[in-house]
Amino acid sequence: MVTCSAARASAASLILVPALFASALTAATASPAPPRPAQQHPAQDGADGAFTPGAPGVGDPYFPQAGNGGYDARHYDIRLRYEPRDRRIAATTRVTAVATQNLSRFDLDFVGNQIHEVTVDGSPAAYRRDGQELIVTPRPGIVKGHHFTVAVAYTGAPNGRGSGWIRTPDGAVSLSQPQGSATWFPLNDHPTDKATYSYRITVPEGLSVLANGEPVRSFLAGGRTGGRAGAPRTVTHLWRSRRPMAGYLAMVAIGRFRVREGRSPAGIRTISAVDTSLMQDVARFHATTGKVTDWAARLFGRYPFDSSGGVIDNVPVGYALETQNRPVYPSAADVPLIVHELAHQWFGNSVSLRRWEDIWLNEGFATYAEWLWSEQHKGRTAEQFFRQAYKRASAKDWERPTGRPGPKGLFDHFPIYTRGAMTVHALRTTVGDRAFFRILRAWTATRAHGHGTTRDLIALAEQVSGRNLGPLFRDWLYEPGRPAMPKRTNRPSEDATVLNRSKSQSNRA
């Protein structure tokens, strides 16, 4: 995710901070339903002992209430009707999961909206709300290893105002890093619990719908919005994402769009859209997206999803977000910004975080992808970007550690984006291009559709390079102050040979 500004000196800088999530929670809509008392569920015998409640969080120190314990979400089926006239949604979300313990009750992350019914495996379940927690008590308890489906029916008028479900002049779009998804559907909202998704979105005829994954079909629903005489007929759009996804990357965009679908030069399916109120050329945007996707696949390894693309929407935010398959850009998208958000499809989306503290793994690599693109397209080299940042950074810039930024510094520009990219370049300089690009491709291949930590990356880099890299990463990620310049281990001519080879490789997804 990066901010978008025509006046910025570099292609990316961050604006979103965790405070936006707090704003999303308070503004997320609707009249909550009065609390219903949860069923008192005494311990009972199960296959592995007593039934106990699932934890209300996964233990992330930056977001203690994020995610939930006791189950593993496998699939989300979101069925949502949107009425632009009154900005309201009516939805049912079905979460298919497997219990990882004997569950007496479990939590979902969900805020705002009015809940009308909660069922587990088709039977009514008791529920209550506590802050962002929707606490569900099924009858009876759920045995460890059992696959179950919880369905939540709700209505509301969500308005994330910067994060979550965001209203646009002709519809809405969801942009949810780090926790905004809870404003519009219930989920296990932490990157450690990835799942597949399907969407069934009903809107007035004349509006388009885009989402993660690929379109299945659209059909005229036959009814009229709200059942009102004279209201437009509705169209239902089906989308499905077969690849696992972290909840904050879930995206639905509703509005009037010019849509292009085709394939990149290397054959990757690409779906792009531009809001009809904006001037950006959809054909050029579509072609650039395909070109960048192919380039990234040659450097980073096979494209990890079934389609690429992007959405340029008239959305009142100051940042772009790497929503899976097709990032969302506000108002416009230049080439460096497209490079950044598409690089996230490998770094952050396919290989996801286990804890938010490691956000530099997402943003540092995506920023470095911008430097690589420039280097390989007759612009400044990565070394020039690195030296310029090293020279211009103030003593204050170096104070916040990149690998331990704290919740308030989670999206600070210099430590996370710039110093994160500088850390990547320091690694490249230290191990040489041959080992460096092997590390990149091994990281994205061995952890595809999974997770990774900084410790995992260091271990892989040491294995591939045969070097002790602990001191390098310690200085660049965890020590305040300006690190020493890294020392080059191979000649520039050897690096050029590796880069020229990577340019000529083809990779068909």
Side-chain angles (χ1 to χ4, degrees), residues 110-126:
F110 192 44
V111 296
N113 301 284
Q114 182 175 350
I115 298 173
H116 299 284
E117 183 181 41
V118 177
T119 64
V120 175
D121 289 337
S123 298

Side-chain angles (χ1 to χ4, degrees), residues 358-371:
D358 282 335
I359 188 65
W360 83 274
L361 288 171
N362 294 10
E363 302 301 347
F365 278 94
T367 301
Y368 197 68
E370 297 179 54
W371 297 3

Side-chain angles (χ1 to χ4, degrees), residues 283-338:
R284 184 173 182 178
F285 171 57
H286 183 71
T288 301
T289 295
K291 179 180 178 181
V292 171
T293 302
D294 289 348
W295 168 84
R298 289 193 292 272
L299 278 188
F300 307 141
R302 181 180 295 274
Y303 182 69
F305 305 114
D306 296 323
S307 66
S308 182
V311 177
I312 300 179
D313 202 355
N314 186 8
V315 54
V317 297
Y319 63 92
L321 185 62
E322 62 271 18
T323 43
Q324 194 155 299
N325 296 89
R326 51 197 49 83
V328 175
Y329 309 91
S331 301
D334 60 16
V335 173
L337 184 60
I338 294 170

Side-chain angles (χ1 to χ4, degrees), residues 79-151:
R79 303 190 175 198
L80 183 148
R81 177 185 293 264
Y82 183 59
E83 173 49 74
R85 292 187 182 184
D86 57 14
R87 307 287 191 168
R88 294 188 64 79
I89 64 172
T92 297
T93 294
R94 293 175 173 83
V95 187
T96 301
V98 59
T100 57
Q101 67 181 64
N102 287 338
L103 281 173
S104 60
R105 67 172 186 259
F106 60 90
D107 290 16
L108 294 165
D109 298 301
F110 192 44
V111 296
N113 301 284
Q114 182 175 350
I115 298 173
H116 299 284
E117 183 181 41
V118 177
T119 64
V120 175
D121 289 337
S123 298
Y127 65 89
R128 62 184 176 89
R129 308 188 82 166
D130 182 7
Q132 74 179 63
E133 303 296 318
L134 170 58
I135 303 167
V136 179
T137 304
R139 306 182 185 88
I142 302 171
V143 175
K144 179 180 179 180
H146 175 68
H147 287 72
F148 65 95
T149 298
V150 53

Side-chain angles (χ1 to χ4, degrees), residues 76-391:
Y76 292 88
D77 177 48
I78 301 172
R79 303 190 175 198
L80 183 148
R81 177 185 293 264
Y82 183 59
E83 173 49 74
R85 292 187 182 184
D86 57 14
R87 307 287 191 168
R88 294 188 64 79
I89 64 172
T92 297
T93 294
R94 293 175 173 83
V95 187
T96 301
V98 59
T100 57
Q101 67 181 64
N102 287 338
L103 281 173
S104 60
R105 67 172 186 259
F106 60 90
D107 290 16
L108 294 165
D109 298 301
F110 192 44
V111 296
N113 301 284
Q114 182 175 350
I115 298 173
H116 299 284
E117 183 181 41
V118 177
T119 64
V120 175
D121 289 337
S123 298
Y127 65 89
R128 62 184 176 89
R129 308 188 82 166
D130 182 7
Q132 74 179 63
E133 303 296 318
L134 170 58
I135 303 167
V136 179
T137 304
R139 306 182 185 88
I142 302 171
V143 175
K144 179 180 179 180
H146 175 68
H147 287 72
F148 65 95
T149 298
V150 53
V152 182
Y154 54 97
T155 56
N159 185 9
R161 295 177 184 170
S163 178
W165 184 270
I166 301 172
R167 300 170 180 177
T168 63
D170 59 0
V173 65
S174 58
L175 301 171
S176 301
Q177 192 178 32
Q179 290 186 279
S181 287
T183 65
W184 63 284
F185 72 98
L187 74 160
N188 195 12
D189 198 7
H190 193 271
T192 50
D193 194 3
K194 297 164 76 169
T196 57
Y197 281 71
S198 57
Y199 304 94
R200 183 186 179 100
I201 310 298
T202 301
V203 296
E205 188 176 18
L207 296 184
S208 298
V209 172
L210 294 109
N212 312 105
E214 292 71 47
V216 178
R217 66 189 180 103
S218 300
F219 57 89
L220 193 65
R224 298 185 180 275
T225 56
R228 298 190 303 268
R233 293 188 300 177
T234 59
V235 178
T236 296
H237 303 263
L238 307 182
W239 287 74
R240 180 178 296 120
S241 178
R242 300 187 301 167
R243 307 296 181 181
M245 179 169 68
Y248 75 90
L249 298 170
M251 184 276 291
V252 168
I254 299 169
R256 294 179 176 85
F257 294 100
R258 299 186 297 273
V259 180
R260 283 292 178 93
E261 181 170 358
R263 293 192 176 272
S264 72
I268 298 169
R269 187 179 184 185
T270 306
I271 304 170
S272 312
V274 175
D275 189 289
T276 57
S277 68
L278 302 174
M279 297 299 293
Q280 186 134 357
D281 182 351
V282 66
R284 184 173 182 178
F285 171 57
H286 183 71
T288 301
T289 295
K291 179 180 178 181
V292 171
T293 302
D294 289 348
W295 168 84
R298 289 193 292 272
L299 278 188
F300 307 141
R302 181 180 295 274
Y303 182 69
F305 305 114
D306 296 323
S307 66
S308 182
V311 177
I312 300 179
D313 202 355
N314 186 8
V315 54
V317 297
Y319 63 92
L321 185 62
E322 62 271 18
T323 43
Q324 194 155 299
N325 296 89
R326 51 197 49 83
V328 175
Y329 309 91
S331 301
D334 60 16
V335 173
L337 184 60
I338 294 170
V339 170
H340 185 103
E341 302 305 338
L342 288 179
H344 274 308
Q345 305 308 307
W346 286 264
F347 302 102
N349 294 11
S350 177
V351 185
S352 300
L353 303 174
R354 286 199 176 276
R355 56 187 182 184
W356 282 104
E357 181 179 67
D358 282 335
I359 188 65
W360 83 274
L361 288 171
N362 294 10
E363 302 301 347
F365 278 94
T367 301
Y368 197 68
E370 297 179 54
W371 297 3
L372 288 172
W373 173 274
S374 173
E375 179 176 287
Q376 295 187 17
H377 291 81
K378 301 181 180 180
R380 281 188 291 171
T381 66
E383 178 74 10
Q384 288 172 328
F385 278 106
F386 175 89
R387 288 184 175 274
Q388 182 182 61
Y390 191 87
K391 179 181 179 179

